[in-house]
Amino acid sequence: MHLSRPYSMQWLLWMVIVFLPGTVLAEDGYELWLRYNRIPDPELLSYYKKHATEMVVQQSCPIFRTVQDELLMALQGLLGQELPVNPSVSKKGAIILGTLDESPILRRLVQPLEMEIAGDEGYIIRSLSFDNRPVTVIAANKSKGVLYGVFRFICLIQNRQAIDRLSIRSKPRIQRRLLNHWDNLNGSVERGYAGKSIWNWEKLPAEIDSRYEDYARANASIGINGTVMNNVNSQAEILTKGYISKAAAIANVLRPYGIRVYFSVKFTSPMEIGGLSTADPFDPGVRRWWKERVRQIYEQIPDFGGFLVKAYSEGQPGPQIYGRTHADGANMLAEALSPFEGIVMWRSFVYDLSIDSDRAKCGYLEFVPLDGQFAANVLIQSKNGPVDFQPREPFNPLFGAMQKTPLMMELQITQEYTGQGKHLVYLAPQWKEVLDSETFAKGSGTLVAGIVDGSAENHALSGIAGVSGIGTDRNWMGHHFSQANWYAFGRLAWDPALTSEQIAEEWIEMTWSNDPETIDAIMKMMAGSWEACVDYMTPLGLHHLMAAGHHYGPEPEYVNPDRADWSSTYYHKADSEGIGFDRSSAGTNAVNQYAGPLRKLWDSPATCPEKYLLWFHHLPWTHQMSSGKTLWQELQLRYNRGVESVMTMQKAWDSLEGKIDEERFEHVKARLEMQLENAQEWRDVCLDYFGRFAESPDTRDGE
Ligand code: GCV
């Protein structure tokens, strides 16, 4: 084998097990979607072998070595073929990898114009002929692009696609595609449901866990190019020398996979670890402190990405303490980072009820007036919806309302409000609903995705972040199916136009099986899983009925003694008159934060889509729904439908017994049982509670 780096013991052991004839692999989900098990069909195997005979490489750099190793490893596993690595083409079926700058062969084969279109991270994959030999070309302008191209090529084989007539050109639509870890420095993970933080801060920088590299491989395979290592509820210590060195050690592992590291920083760090008496962004000493600290970071992490900041929200300090604005705070950090091309991602997740009593309106009210005041290297990071990662929310009205400022979207991969690593909920349809939403920000045709990727408003910067949920569990995410959300996040960050079905199918074949019946059964489970969760938790636009604190089960009766908006009753407002939050023009007028056509549509219960009905309206229990039922009847129907969908998922999964490896089969089966119990609890608790107000009798069917 032509391996440029020694593999870990774990990997070698795995290889031995894979190649023992007749061995049935026990799987624990650690490999994620990067499972390179041998293709069992002899005909297919010989087809792929014919088109993957050697690897032609004419360059070397750390990323390039990664590229080469990954392809070797994949083909060794999938085809059982040790590919020679040669500097020139000697066989039919060669795979030629490289950048035009460094590979003379590729310069002969590929048009420079075509590469221009691919940009810095894009790639092309083409079936071509070289000296009358059929070859496959994976080319890019930068090594990073080749890395992404190679992972796509491997995916094609994992998906059993033809590889002899390839003509693929791809480049990411969004520049910064980041995971946000809500990992604390003590190893716990806020809203994490898969064990502890994978960053072993105590043992760093001396000990480098082999997981870091596996994490990097997984992310690179789906195009993720950055990671914010620590919680947005940040601790100042991340900026101390010790932690910078620890982070630098991780950055060294991630770099060959094209991944940069970023920090969440606490606004009062200059006071907490710098001994200053203020953190006022207008104070020259404070500004100097940040500049110096940033310089120290770049000394150790030359490609450091920048800072993420949660300011003046949920107890985190911000510039407002000193009478300054979000823009003042963000711009101070931006100034420190700018000489190194670092960026600031400043979160808009703020809800100071003294600004407005409707929490959903607060972010918009604080941030829109600041549009145009942020430095060029600042992005505003906004959650997909205006409240907080609820099972379903309309899109955040900030998208489209701050046309002079690049807005990043923050999605939640970790399932804080959607079953927490215990429920099978495929979130790509939720994200697609938001990304595909028409904002009417510039007449029709301005989708949220176009704002996030910067194209609608011509921004030089663009970004998207997913709150990761990754932990030390063997399967990384707690639930095997939560891996699909990590995968889907990366794929949508690369191309928001992909459909959730396309992504699911790709993932299923890589993660579970290539058997058509298995794919079909799992596809159906995944496709309906998000709507099922919405139905059994918060149908018809209801939101935040979750139990206080842990946010797992239902607690519709919860009233927080200190804060109205931390109470479930604040959101559903159920009483004998009806249910729902009146955000129409007759209510809080949150609807007015959306562009004209949406405002008009959503302002009237007659035209508001039923999925958002109780988000925008408080309606009588007898309100007529499009089904002809009353609102109360419809609510019961939806809760029951959610439970039934989980039963259907269970049946589909049971039908796969024997087709899926036992360990993962049993794991998912047990989780589905828990999900059913939870869904029933959600239904029963919510309907019992709302039933106390509703005039109609509870017509729920028994099971
Ligand atoms: C990191 C929600 C979560 C918090 C989280 C916060 C945020 O309120 O429950 O755990 O804090 O969002 O996004 O900042």
Side-chain angles (χ1 to χ4, degrees):
M1 284 215 288
H2 299 256
L3 303 181
S4 51
R5 266 177 299 131
Y7 283 106
S8 64
M9 282 308 291
Q10 195 180 11
W11 169 247
L12 289 173
L13 188 69
W14 189 80
M15 295 289 276
V16 170
I17 295 168
V18 168
F19 296 112
L20 278 179
T23 306
V24 179
L25 255 189
E27 300 211 36
D28 58 12
Y30 184 82
E31 272 74 35
L32 296 158
W33 47 89
L34 300 175
R35 290 162 66 255
Y36 299 147
N37 296 353
R38 183 78 43 80
I39 295 174
D41 177 337
E43 223 174 289
L44 262 182
L45 191 61
S46 88
Y47 164 79
Y48 285 120
K49 280 184 169 178
K50 213 169 88 192
H51 295 285
T53 54
E54 68 177 342
M55 195 186 299
V56 177
V57 176
Q58 301 186 307
Q59 64 201 86
S60 167
C61 72
I63 292 193
F64 223 83
R65 281 196 293 280
T66 309
V67 171
Q68 201 172 303
D69 289 355
E70 193 67 34
L71 190 56
L72 283 172
M73 189 196 300
L75 296 181
Q76 169 107 50
L78 288 160
L79 313 184
Q81 183 140 298
E82 265 187 41
L83 240 59
V85 182
N86 297 323
S88 60
V89 179
S90 67
K91 293 184 181 138
K92 288 180 181 171
I95 303 171
I96 310 170
L97 310 173
T99 60
L100 254 51
D101 281 355
E102 299 198 44
S103 165
I105 300 183
L106 286 174
R107 281 203 292 279
R108 264 182 64 186
L109 284 169
V110 182
Q111 298 294 324
L113 183 64
E114 187 161 35
M115 295 317 302
E116 244 171 68
I117 299 168
D120 265 8
E121 294 187 308
Y123 57 83
I124 61 157
I125 310 180
R126 289 251 188 286
S127 303
L128 296 171
S129 172
F130 183 80
D131 291 344
N132 288 324
R133 294 183 175 116
V135 295
T136 304
V137 160
I138 306 178
N141 289 315
K142 301 267 157 61
S143 315
K144 219 171 144 178
V146 187
L147 176 69
Y148 296 137
V150 159
F151 274 115
R152 206 87 307 258
F153 180 72
I154 297 169
C155 168
L156 292 175
I157 301 181
Q158 288 176 290
N159 280 196
R160 309 294 188 256
Q161 300 285 313
I163 56 165
D164 55 343
R165 282 180 301 275
L166 293 173
S167 177
I168 297 174
R169 184 168 63 212
S170 185
K171 68 171 179 180
R173 268 178 56 187
I174 301 174
Q175 293 166 9
R176 309 271 173 155
R177 304 175 300 279
L178 312 188
L179 288 186
N180 284 185
H181 285 258
W182 286 356
D183 295 18
N184 299 311
L185 303 183
N186 67 4
S188 61
V189 181
E190 182 158 347
R191 311 302 179 188
Y193 312 102
K196 300 200 61 130
S197 168
I198 56 166
W199 315 129
N200 198 334
W201 293 113
E202 243 176 62
K203 296 192 173 155
L204 282 160
E207 275 183 43
I208 304 291
D209 193 318
S210 61
R211 267 207 184 223
Y212 304 155
E213 187 161 4
D214 293 331
Y215 166 87
R217 287 179 57 225
N219 281 322
S221 75
I222 49 176
I224 288 171
N225 64 6
T227 183
V228 182
M229 310 182 79
N230 59 316
N231 193 354
V232 287
N233 290 329
S234 177
Q235 290 167 268
E237 288 71 22
I238 190 73
L239 293 172
T240 55
K241 268 197 183 138
Y243 275 98
I244 296 172
S245 307
K246 289 169 194 279
I250 299 175
N252 291 341
V253 180
L254 306 190
R255 191 168 297 115
Y257 291 88
I259 299 168
R260 292 167 161 204
V261 302
Y262 297 72
F263 291 160
S264 291
V265 297
K266 191 166 183 181
F267 204 75
T268 45
S269 299
M271 296 163 78
E272 291 189 34
I273 54 166
L276 303 193
S277 58
T278 176
D280 183 350
F282 285 5
D283 181 274
V286 171
R287 298 178 90 85
R288 257 196 316 276
W289 186 88
W290 280 106
K291 282 184 181 160
E292 176 53 20
R293 204 45 60 135
V294 164
R295 194 193 56 72
Q296 286 169 15
I297 296 173
Y298 278 92
E299 233 169 51
Q300 292 204 55
I301 313 175
D303 57 348
F304 182 72
F307 293 151
L308 171 64
V309 190
K310 172 174 176 177
Y312 219 50
S313 167
E314 298 188 335
Q316 290 298 305
Q320 290 77 0
I321 303 174
Y322 309 98
R324 315 296 182 200
T325 66
H326 288 292
D328 297 332
N331 292 346
M332 170 191 63
L333 298 177
E335 186 185 63
L337 287 157
S338 154
F340 306 95
E341 296 180 12
I343 60 164
V344 174
M345 297 164 289
W346 192 272
R347 291 174 97 226
S348 69
F349 179 67
V350 291
Y351 54 101
D352 176 351
L353 293 200
S354 70
I355 292 177
D356 195 282
S357 62
D358 181 357
R359 168 170 168 179
K361 289 168 68 184
C362 292
Y364 181 103
L365 291 174
E366 272 200 55
F367 277 84
V368 172
L370 299 173
D371 192 21
Q373 295 183 28
F374 291 96
N377 55 337
V378 176
L379 291 127
I380 299 303
Q381 180 165 311
S382 299
K383 293 189 180 184
N384 54 285
V387 171
D388 189 10
F389 297 137
Q390 293 304 293
R392 172 176 257 141
E393 298 189 33
F395 73 86
N396 192 326
L398 278 167
F399 293 104
M402 289 186 70
Q403 303 196 357
K404 297 184 189 129
T405 314
L407 253 63
M408 276 181 83
M409 179 171 283
E410 181 175 323
L411 300 168
Q412 198 176 42
I413 302 170
T414 194
Q415 293 170 234
E416 174 180 0
Y417 293 102
T418 52
Q420 307 194 348
K422 297 203 174 63
H423 295 196
L424 190 167
V425 182
Y426 175 50
L427 290 169
Q430 184 202 57
W431 302 336
K432 280 295 288 180
E433 182 170 286
V434 173
L435 290 164
D436 291 348
S437 291
E438 168 65 89
T439 66
F440 294 100
K442 298 183 141 196
S444 60
T446 315
L447 303 188
V448 170
I451 290 162
V452 176
D453 73 16
S455 60
E457 293 152 356
N458 274 323
H459 291 304
L461 271 178
S462 62
I464 188 162
V467 180
S468 92
I470 290 163
T472 50
D473 277 8
R474 276 298 292 174
N475 72 9
W476 302 85
M477 301 293 286
H479 197 307
H480 290 292
F481 275 86
S482 300
Q483 296 178 357
N485 295 330
W486 179 4
Y487 184 85
F489 169 76
R491 297 289 288 129
L492 284 175
W494 184 275
D495 182 3
L498 290 172
T499 67
S500 54
E501 293 80 14
Q502 265 173 283
I503 298 170
E505 192 166 347
E506 246 173 53
W507 176 80
I508 295 167
E509 292 208 46
M510 294 162 95
T511 308
W512 295 103
S513 170
N514 302 98
D515 164 52
E517 278 175 23
T518 308
I519 298 168
D520 190 50
I522 300 182
M523 275 293 278
K524 287 192 182 122
M525 290 171 69
M526 290 171 72
S529 61
W530 169 55
E531 289 285 3
C533 172
V534 171
D535 276 347
Y536 65 70
M537 287 189 181
T538 50
L540 298 174
L542 287 173
H543 47 293
H544 228 309
L545 308 181
M546 290 78 192
H550 58 69
H551 295 163
Y552 183 60
E555 201 177 4
E557 72 282 13
Y558 179 67
V559 178
N560 184 295
D562 304 318
R563 274 195 74 138
D565 63 323
W566 287 353
S567 312
S568 302
T569 52
Y570 166 90
Y571 295 99
H572 61 68
K573 302 200 189 305
D575 56 21
S576 56
E577 302 292 308
I579 181 169
F581 200 130
D582 187 359
R583 297 191 169 104
S584 71
S585 50
T588 68
N589 207 16
V591 74
N592 195 41
Q593 293 182 339
Y594 293 91
L598 287 177
R599 191 185 311 150
K600 203 163 156 227
L601 200 70
W602 294 352
D603 197 30
S604 159
T607 50
C608 180
E610 288 185 345
K611 60 187 177 183
Y612 303 141
L613 195 61
L614 302 178
W615 184 281
F616 287 112
H617 299 280
H618 186 80
L619 296 170
W621 297 102
T622 51
H623 174 82
Q624 279 285 304
M625 303 294 290
S626 63
S627 62
K629 295 186 185 307
T630 66
L631 171 56
W632 172 232
Q633 287 167 338
E634 185 75 26
L635 211 55
Q636 294 171 78
L637 181 143
R638 301 281 176 131
Y639 272 109
N640 277 309
R641 193 172 74 179
V643 172
E644 279 152 20
S645 302
V646 180
M647 290 174 177
T648 308
M649 289 202 278
Q650 273 189 313
K651 278 201 200 104
W653 189 251
D654 287 345
S655 76
L656 299 177
E657 185 159 13
K659 293 186 155 197
I660 302 277
D661 50 282
E662 204 183 331
E663 188 174 340
R664 291 190 300 165
F665 177 81
E666 290 300 336
H667 193 268
V668 172
K669 187 176 163 69
R671 301 250 148 171
L672 282 168
E673 275 160 24
M674 205 180 320
Q675 183 168 0
L676 179 62
E677 270 171 38
N678 291 169
Q680 286 164 333
E681 187 192 347
W682 266 96
R683 176 196 62 190
D684 294 343
V685 169
C686 292
L687 291 182
D688 283 348
Y689 174 80
F690 293 135
R692 290 181 219 157
F693 304 104
E695 283 175 12
S696 316
D698 181 344
T699 53
R700 210 170 351 138
D701 293 334
E703 275 147 51

